[in-house]
Amino acid sequence: MDYDAMDGLEDIGPRVTVREAGNSSVGFVLSNVDLAFANSLRRIILAEVPTMAIDLVEVEANTSVLPDEFIAHRLGLIPLNSKDVDSILYTRDCDCEQYCDNCSITLTLHARCTGTDIMRIYARDLVIGSVTPNDQIGRPVLSDVEGFGSVIGKLRQGQELRMKCIAKKGIAKEHAKWAPTSAVGFEYDPHNKLRHLDLWYEEDATKEWPKSKNAEWEEPPLEGAPFNYDAQPTEFYFDVDSIGNLEPDAVIQQGIKVMQQKIAAVIQDLTGDEGRGGDVEYEPRSPGAMNAAGDYGGGLEGGYTTPYGNGGNASAWGGGAQTPYGATPYGQNNGWAA
């Protein structure tokens, strides 16, 4: 048997080496891939992994000093647990008119200050009021030691806040509130052997540009060695920090899944039904989803709502463009979307 050939099998296909792992972060080395593949995975993890976030707020009562849209914006940025998010449909894929238990999760917020001290409202005060696929999805992420979560607002004596929040499935390409990560560190060639970076320095580049911790994983270049113009990066260093709605390994797995769906869609478009290894469905999940004519930039039926377009964005004053002060400059449907 040719053992040399067997040894070479280890270098076929991508290889992942986990350097460190925690509850909210993971660091790993991705090797045996090219720069385009590694950067694609980074971009997908940042912007195309689906999560849950509050997208619609119906204000029933707000006597605090904060305006409705300010509180709605804060509610939208509260991270929600997105475990088993695939069991929730995108709003655009659901048959309901506005939202239902299949494409959304309803949370209620009701707080009233009856004492003389200032009352703080936290993310923990959001209560799920609809049927959910599991007992975790849709719950606010409480990562602080006290278990309170993010501060939503403050109330004085006699002030009240009563709202109905609709959480929907989306991606960070549509809005940053759906981002699964706070940051994704990405580096290759820490010694700059490929000279992709032109380091500006005054006296000594080595002293003025300290190496990162990733430099310990590669051999430094030999002094006076000739430059290899054909060299390509093969090892890429990732540091993924989750905001808590998904575990770090789940974020990476979802990113790989989305990449597979994208590649399958490209292969299907290029080859048709031939060469399609099974039924692979992929829907473009961008803010300007394709319309009936096949063009991008279609209507706003994309699982999100804004004050400028159609969609389920009713407010405490009802649907349409009417407020206590008359019509608004935005036209129809004057609801506040988170």
Side-chain angles (χ1 to χ4, degrees), residues 83-85 87-88 101-102 104-105 131-137:
K83 181 180 180 181
D84 196 19
V85 70
S87 59
I88 302 293
D101 291 342
N102 295 327
S104 66
I105 297 176
V131 180
T132 58
N134 55 68
D135 57 355
Q136 295 294 327
I137 188 169

Side-chain angles (χ1 to χ4, degrees), residues 33-34 37 139 148 154 177 204 208 214 253 278 284 293 300:
V33 298
D34 58 9
F37 182 95
R139 296 185 179 277
F148 294 161
K154 300 178 181 180
K177 64 187 176 184
D204 188 357
E208 298 176 22
N214 300 324
Q253 292 173 7
L300 294 177

Side-chain angles (χ1 to χ4, degrees), residues 44-62:
I44 290 175
I45 291 175
L46 280 171
E48 298 193 51
V49 173
T51 61
M52 297 295 297
I54 294 175
D55 190 50
L56 183 64
V57 178
E58 298 178 359
V59 181
E60 300 177 4
N62 178 21

Side-chain angles (χ1 to χ4, degrees), residues 187-197 211-212 214-215 218-219 221 233-237:
E187 186 183 19
Y188 67 91
D189 188 24
H191 293 286
N192 198 27
K193 292 183 289 187
L194 302 177
R195 301 180 186 176
H196 287 183
L197 295 177
K211 304 299 181 183
S212 66
N214 300 324
E218 293 188 11
E219 294 293 334
T234 58
E235 294 189 347
F236 305 90
Y237 305 92

Side-chain angles (χ1 to χ4, degrees), residues 275-295:
R276 183 180 179 186
D279 295 333
V280 180
E281 297 182 358
Y282 174 73
E283 303 83 9
R285 297 196 294 268
S286 62
M290 286 193 300
N291 53 27
D295 300 325

